[in-house]
Amino acid sequence: MITTNVWSVERLPDEQLGAELSAAASCLKHGGLIAFPTETVYGLGADARNSAAVERIFSAKGRPSDNPLIVHIADRIQLDALVLPYPELASVLMDSFWPGPLTIVLPVRTNVLSPLVTAGLSTIGVRMPNHRAALALLEQAGCPVAAPSANRSGRPSPTLASHVMEDLAGRIDGLVDDGATGVGLESTVIELVGEQLIRILRPGGITREALQAAAPDASIDSASDQELDSAPRSPGMKYTHYAPQGELVLVQGEPANVAAYIQEQVDRAARNGERTGVLAFEERLAQYNADRVLSLGSEVELNDAAHRLYAALRTFDESGAQRIWSESSSEQGIGAALMNRLAKAAGNRVVRV
Ligand code: TXA
Ligand code: MG
């Protein structure tokens, strides 16, 4: 066990952030592990050039070593040192979405990053987070920072500093606490196939609709789960992720049928003495009677649901829920990422009623 220093900056004005985070940045630059907030989820950062530091990320998280890490930068100037020449389409997307929740997979230069970051691939995923504390930390550290989500592998990603402490206290050197993250789901990961095709490897904060609007002439497709299983392009997608400890089932269909089905299942489980949970939209919350009923907010405000999802999954764990059922949303906009994470959390137990 090591001591995890916490820098609480939530109430600090922007102009004091740099001074407050200089010790955290120095720790990062010298091989330390520092968790920090981004606009998506909290990340666990290490100097991406330093294999000993990156190795500590994998052991702190219990993460499989064939799953590559996203590299975070504060400035486009840092990018050319890391990657080989890339399609113009990538620049267009960077102009539109950086800083922001878009990770772009690009060809990596040899011998600049620890090979552990790329997990043997010839590419890296890079992004520039849109968060004041993340940018202040990255700027001062001055190095490319490899940062997966700051959770133990398989657990829901952290959207609060307390989630990071639950999973990683005593395993990491520090944590920058700047309150709740924004989007609440991880960045969109894309690769580019030539100048014309954007392939979404992981849906996230930047929606397909937003990508299309920024690049009207490009086609967009998504790597299907089947494809990811056979020849994983985004290796992380093949692992069970984001999962609560109880067994989660995702239920799809007409809202009224979904509610009736879920309540029937809850009643049956309760008769068997199991602790039950329901994850539902505000519109139908009052219809459920279970040990724990948690709200995703209104079904017409899916950004809210994205923001709440991971905290809700952790709350089910705290309340010892053994069987959990979740309603489904539309797959428009951020709904695509929301349903992707719910299906993963459910280990693909999806029921259509
Ligand atoms: O929002 C986010 O992206 C957060 C914050 C902290 O930035 N980070 C994050 O990292 O979610 P992580 O490690 O939990 O997920 C990284 C995903 C994995 O699915 C991984 O397989 C994929 O990105 N990835 C990373 N490098 C890749 C590459 N070179 N090619 C394809 N996929 C890659
Ligand atoms: Mg993760």
Side-chain angles (χ1 to χ4, degrees):
M1 292 288 263
I2 55 176
T3 305
T4 302
N5 288 308
V6 179
W7 289 273
S8 296
V9 300
E10 198 173 356
R11 272 173 280 280
L12 217 60
D14 291 1
E15 48 304 346
Q16 288 171 32
L17 266 181
E20 182 66 20
L21 294 181
S22 68
S26 160
C27 178
L28 197 50
K29 191 157 62 182
H30 293 102
L33 287 192
I34 302 286
F36 59 94
T38 77
E39 79 282 37
T40 60
V41 299
Y42 275 77
L44 177 59
D47 180 348
R49 304 164 306 186
N50 178 336
S51 282
V54 175
E55 166 55 35
R56 290 183 60 208
I57 291 183
F58 286 91
S59 58
K61 286 188 52 114
R63 181 180 175 107
S65 62
D66 66 344
N67 193 1
L69 304 179
I70 293 173
V71 175
H72 296 65
I73 57 175
D75 201 306
R76 286 271 281 274
I77 292 167
Q78 286 177 282
L79 189 62
D80 289 338
L82 304 178
V83 302
L84 296 168
Y86 49 80
E88 175 59 23
L89 178 56
S91 307
V92 169
L93 297 175
M94 288 172 206
D95 292 342
S96 300
F97 298 113
W98 282 6
L102 181 69
T103 297
I104 309 181
V105 172
L106 297 170
V108 67
R109 284 186 190 276
T110 44
N111 299 325
V112 276
L113 294 175
S114 161
L116 297 171
V117 170
T118 55
L121 300 176
S122 57
T123 54
I124 49 164
V126 197
R127 84 178 193 98
M128 188 188 298
N130 185 15
H131 191 286
R132 63 178 202 140
L135 290 171
L137 183 71
L138 293 171
E139 262 162 36
Q140 282 197 74
C143 56
V145 171
S149 50
N151 50 284
R152 289 278 295 167
S153 203
R155 293 265 287 152
S157 295
T159 53
L160 290 172
S162 60
H163 298 158
V164 178
M165 290 304 267
E166 258 168 50
D167 281 18
L168 297 175
R171 296 171 171 272
I172 62 178
D173 299 299
L175 162 65
V176 177
D177 177 356
D178 198 11
T181 60
V183 179
L185 301 177
E186 302 83 350
S187 62
T188 303
V189 180
I190 58 165
E191 67 177 4
L192 304 176
V193 184
E195 285 288 356
Q196 286 304 321
L197 178 62
I198 300 170
R199 177 164 294 143
I200 299 176
L201 302 179
R202 177 178 73 178
I206 299 295
T207 62
R208 180 191 191 105
E209 292 84 347
L211 289 167
Q212 189 71 78
D217 298 332
S219 339
I220 302 183
D221 72 9
S222 301
S224 69
D225 280 350
Q226 206 180 10
E227 187 183 352
L228 289 172
D229 284 344
S230 55
R233 287 177 178 281
S234 187
M237 295 306 278
K238 73 186 175 195
Y239 296 105
T240 307
H241 260 105
Y242 327 113
Q245 282 148 23
E247 185 189 277
L248 173 69
V249 175
L250 179 59
V251 186
Q252 298 182 322
E254 282 300 311
N257 298 343
V258 167
Y261 174 85
I262 290 179
Q263 190 58 50
E264 200 181 291
Q265 297 296 310
V266 166
D267 291 341
R268 181 175 307 166
R271 283 197 297 276
N272 292 334
E274 292 172 308
R275 287 191 69 80
T276 57
V278 174
L279 188 56
F281 288 99
E282 207 64 47
E283 285 80 354
R284 285 169 299 282
L285 213 58
Q287 299 183 29
Y288 295 107
N289 179 16
D291 292 316
R292 197 86 202 225
V293 181
L294 296 178
S295 174
L296 284 171
S298 166
E299 63 191 346
V300 297
E301 277 300 335
L302 293 184
N303 288 326
D304 243 25
H307 183 75
R308 293 177 188 220
L309 175 66
Y310 288 145
L313 295 180
R314 284 177 181 259
T315 302
F316 284 126
D317 286 350
E318 279 157 32
S319 61
Q322 294 163 295
R323 307 286 304 280
I324 307 159
W325 288 266
S326 174
E327 294 187 347
S328 308
S329 74
S330 109
E331 296 196 26
Q332 299 296 304
I334 192 75
L338 184 68
M339 293 305 288
N340 170 271
R341 301 309 191 279
L342 269 169
K344 297 270 170 201
N348 289 315
R349 282 179 296 269
V350 181
V351 174
R352 280 187 187 74
V353 296

